[in-house]
Amino acid sequence: MVFLALNGHFDLMQNINEIEELIKLIARLPGLGPKSAKRIILKLINNRDELMKPMASSLAQVYKNVSRCHSCGTLKSNSAGCNNCENNKNKFNKICVVENIADQWSIENSSIYQGYFHILGGTISSSEQRKEDLLINSLVERVKKDNIDEVIIATSATVEGMTTAHYIKDSLKNINVKVSKLAQGLPVGGEIESLDDGTLISAFKNRNWTENDSN
Ligand SMILES: [Zn+2]
């Protein structure tokens, strides 16, 4: 009975322009399709004051006040300094380079690594991603400015990830810094974000120094 009522509700929902628009948007989120989008919207409509209103205002706040740091690529609140690259409490001598923020979160959760992060925001050959947008110049600047000893490249074991790693290594070749890459124990095609902690920890522990290491 409940299910029938829900289906009836869904059909009605689809005739309302505002809701159709919202269904399309929510269905674009990872792991959600039109069906789950409708369920979410129904939940919001049934909890206008407890959920819909605070969520709308929270989204507006995040849109306004949270953005990517121009220097390291992680997320930061516009009203404060960057916790990652402007962290003066903990000075580190390592930078770990990842493709996206989800990768940073996976590595942080595994507790294997203590140091700064650098978030590229993509890979070199991914959908028209331009090299300039990957913050590689800014990585070179950070290495010089913060006296970094080691850059750990933790890009995915995909063709794009490897091309990007190569390009980063090349960009750092004239600087006195060790460059390492996560161990090849990474499954081919493996994305950092989807690795279990054990694999990630062993990839870190067994990381390789790249050939033109000047030290
Ligand atoms: Zn930053």
Side-chain angles (χ1 to χ4, degrees), residues 200-214:
L200 196 53
I201 288 170
S202 101
F204 254 92
K205 283 195 179 143
N206 302 311
R207 62 186 184 270
N208 307 308
W209 303 115
T210 56
E211 306 118 46
N212 48 7
D213 175 14
S214 53

Side-chain angles (χ1 to χ4, degrees), residues 6-20:
L6 268 178
N7 280 337
H9 211 136
F10 280 177
D11 292 340
L12 282 175
M13 281 165 74
Q14 277 171 309
N15 296 325
I16 305 171
N17 286 343
E18 288 86 342
I19 294 205
E20 267 191 53

